[in-house]
Structure formats: C-alpha cells, structure tokens
Amino acid sequence: MMNLPEIIRIGAGSTRSLQVEQALTANERYPELPSVFATAEMIFAMECAAADAIKEMLPNGFVSVGTLVNVKHLDATPVGEKVVASAKVVKVSEKFITFECEAHDEHALIGSGEHQRGVVNLKQFLTGINSRANQ
C-alpha cells in the first residue's frame, strides 16, 4: 500500500491558464444561460492544476482522480479573457490529497475552494471500469 504522506509534499502547487472561448461557456451546453465561463470548466481547470501539482511525485503507473469538489464561483468571466486556475496541496492523508484552489481572470478572483484527489493504479482502475462497462 502506498504511503501518500511520505511521497506528496505539502505546499506543492501548479497553475493552468486558458483563454475563455465560446466552447467553455455555460451557454454552450444550456442555451438559455449567458455566454460566460462555465462553473464546470472553472472546476475542471482547478482539477487539472491539482493533478499537475502532484503527478511527478506519483510512482509509475499511478494517477490521481478527483473525489471531492467544494468550490464557489464568485464572478462571471466573458469570452476572450484569460483565466488562471491554481491548486496547492494543504493536507495529505493515507487515502486523499486536499488542495486549496483559486481561479482568477484578468480582473478578479472568480473562484475559490477545496478539491480532493485520490491515487489509483491506472491499470487496475481501467480494468475495474472496463468490467463494469461490459456487464
């Protein structure tokens, strides 16, 4: 069994930058909503930043997967603006890594909260998923 507190460093962090395009807006999936950066896309950018922050610390064949998201979307971002999402490791237990996350656009803090990830053996994980898909 992997001992996460021994391999994951508190304070490790990463960022992800993106340009808001129409495809990343709430309107893209739900036409009655405005063309602003979708909450789901903001959360995904935070998740990617979190995964990036720890991927080099994981043994070969292991990846992290999202297990919990508790994030507030604080401000709307229009198409065309740059967004930077960041994640920093704040807690490591035997099973989970907890991150403090934020997202900023060119004008303001647009999101903040907590994200948690678990670590899995990718081959075993995919085997389990494939067996469920074939039932």
Side-chain angles (χ1 to χ4, degrees), residues 71-87:
V71 169
K72 292 181 181 179
H73 198 163
L74 304 169
D75 207 351
T77 302
V79 171
E81 286 203 17
K82 178 182 175 182
V83 170
V84 178
S86 63

Side-chain angles (χ1 to χ4, degrees), residues 85-131:
S86 63
K88 180 174 72 171
V89 175
V90 293
K91 181 180 175 186
V92 182
S93 70
E94 290 300 318
K95 290 189 173 190
F96 302 106
I97 304 141
T98 304
F99 299 82
E100 184 177 273
C101 298
E102 289 187 350
H104 293 81
D105 65 17
E106 296 173 28
H107 304 284
L109 174 69
I110 62 166
S112 68
E114 179 181 273
H115 173 50
Q116 191 177 77
R117 299 185 75 74
V119 175
V120 298
N121 177 300
L122 183 58
K123 186 176 179 181
Q124 290 174 354
F125 183 81
L126 293 176
T127 298
I129 293 297
N130 288 336
S131 70

Side-chain angles (χ1 to χ4, degrees), residues 48-65:
C48 290
D52 288 348
I54 61 170
K55 70 181 176 184
E56 299 302 323
M57 296 177 224
L58 300 178
N60 286 338
F62 286 80
V63 297
S64 66
V65 294

Side-chain angles (χ1 to χ4, degrees), residues 30-44:
Y30 197 95
E32 289 80 16
L33 294 176
S35 289
V36 294
F37 191 44
T39 303
E41 297 293 347
M42 180 188 72
I43 291 169
F44 184 63

